[in-house]
Amino acid sequence: GAVVSQHPSRVICKSGTSVKIECRSLDFQATTMFWYRQFPKQSLMLMATSNEGSKATYEQGVEKDKFLINHASLTLSTLTVTSAHPEDSSFYICSATNWAGGYNEQFFGPGTRLTVL
Amino acid sequence: ELKVEQNPLFLSMQEGKNYTIYCNYSTTSDRLYWYRQDPGKSLESLFVLLSNGAVKQEGRLMASLDTKARLSTLHITAAVHDLSATYFCAVISNSGYALNFGKGTSLLVTP
């Protein structure tokens, strides 16, 4: 089956620093990748959608200058949380798919738990 | 805006009992997904339902989709403790491509 990895799985950083999270599709080419954020006891909230080679589309209320998304290849998307603050602490999950490849579902990565001190 | 409502949000049930989780959505869609999430983990895909009347079963779980009623159900048969988890339904509208998630149903199966 389609496998998506994320790195790192956990990260702890100081307030004001930037953190980069990688999302990779390991055995398929992902034309579209999605980034979600999940706070404790809550559902997943879509942050942005990225298509390979084009700018990400951000959901309302998500600061594009704070959450930088790059989808430079068909197997890699990165999310950089710039100048992180404690309120950015959350569980970040990516998913990937290839609609043109006939996939009808998104394949989820294992998630990255970010803690900002 | 596509809204997805799950109920119940919390469910405590005894082992061996049956129960159904409901997922209602607000706009036209024929793509509905069920996921399981264990504490501290990401999502595990359970079912992909792509047409009206679709029914899928895996073990003690069975999911169905009624696109006319905009309703999906996840039925649990003879629950066991290992089914304790949070279950999410998610819908992609026919005019979109992003998943819209329900709030999740936190299921606890007790002896």
Side-chain angles (χ1 to χ4, degrees):
Chain A
V3 180
V4 176
S5 71
Q6 274 183 251
H7 178 81
S9 58
R10 289 180 177 271
V11 57
I12 300 173
C13 69
K14 292 183 179 179
S15 186
T17 59
S18 294
V19 174
K20 180 184 284 188
I21 302 169
E22 292 186 350
C23 177
R24 293 181 185 273
S25 57
L26 299 184
D27 52 2
F28 70 102
Q29 293 186 324
T31 52
T32 305
M33 289 185 167
F34 302 85
W35 287 95
Y36 297 86
R37 180 167 54 183
Q38 185 180 33
F39 293 108
K41 306 292 186 185
Q42 294 187 22
S43 188
L44 278 72
M45 295 296 295
L46 178 66
M47 299 175 67
T49 303
S50 73
N51 293 296
E52 184 264 339
S54 60
K55 289 185 178 180
T57 301
Y58 290 81
E59 295 300 300
Q60 192 172 7
V62 178
E63 300 174 57
K64 63 180 181 181
D65 294 331
K66 181 170 182 63
F67 298 100
L68 301 179
I69 292 171
N70 184 282
H71 190 166
S73 78
L74 285 171
T75 59
L76 173 64
S77 176
T78 59
L79 167 67
T80 302
V81 183
T82 62
S83 186
H85 290 284
E87 57 265 31
D88 298 323
S89 298
S90 188
F91 192 43
Y92 291 87
I93 306 174
C94 72
S95 70
T97 193
N98 185 331
W99 303 122
Y103 289 122
N104 279 309
E105 60 181 309
Q106 298 176 23
F107 302 97
F108 285 84
T112 297
R113 188 160 305 280
L114 170 64
T115 303
V116 184
L117 302 176
Chain B
E1 179 190 350
L2 174 57
K3 294 185 179 179
V4 182
E5 293 187 356
Q6 277 182 247
N7 71 83
L9 297 182
F10 300 96
L11 176 57
S12 179
M13 57 189 299
Q14 285 185 313
E15 283 188 327
K17 298 293 186 182
N18 304 332
Y19 208 84
T20 300
I21 299 171
Y22 296 89
C23 176
N24 289 91
Y25 54 96
S26 64
T27 192
T28 305
S29 173
D30 52 11
R31 290 183 286 173
L32 190 137
Y33 305 81
W34 284 96
Y35 297 94
R36 168 181 172 145
Q37 186 177 38
D38 291 295
K41 303 291 186 181
S42 186
L43 300 184
E44 173 191 351
S45 179
L46 294 176
F47 300 108
V48 179
L49 302 170
L50 300 175
S51 61
N52 186 41
V55 177
K56 292 195 175 180
Q57 182 166 3
E58 180 74 33
R60 301 175 187 273
L61 301 178
M62 183 174 70
S64 66
L65 177 61
D66 181 342
T67 59
K68 294 180 180 178
R70 297 179 183 171
L71 170 68
S72 179
T73 61
L74 180 66
H75 187 72
I76 303 160
T77 302
V80 293
H81 179 69
D82 286 351
L83 290 179
S84 297
T86 299
Y87 293 85
F88 291 97
C89 66
V91 176
I92 299 178
S93 72
N94 284 352
S95 60
Y97 51 86
L99 283 168
N100 295 269
F101 283 87
K103 290 187 175 180
T105 296
S106 180
L107 171 65
L108 176 64
V109 181
T110 58

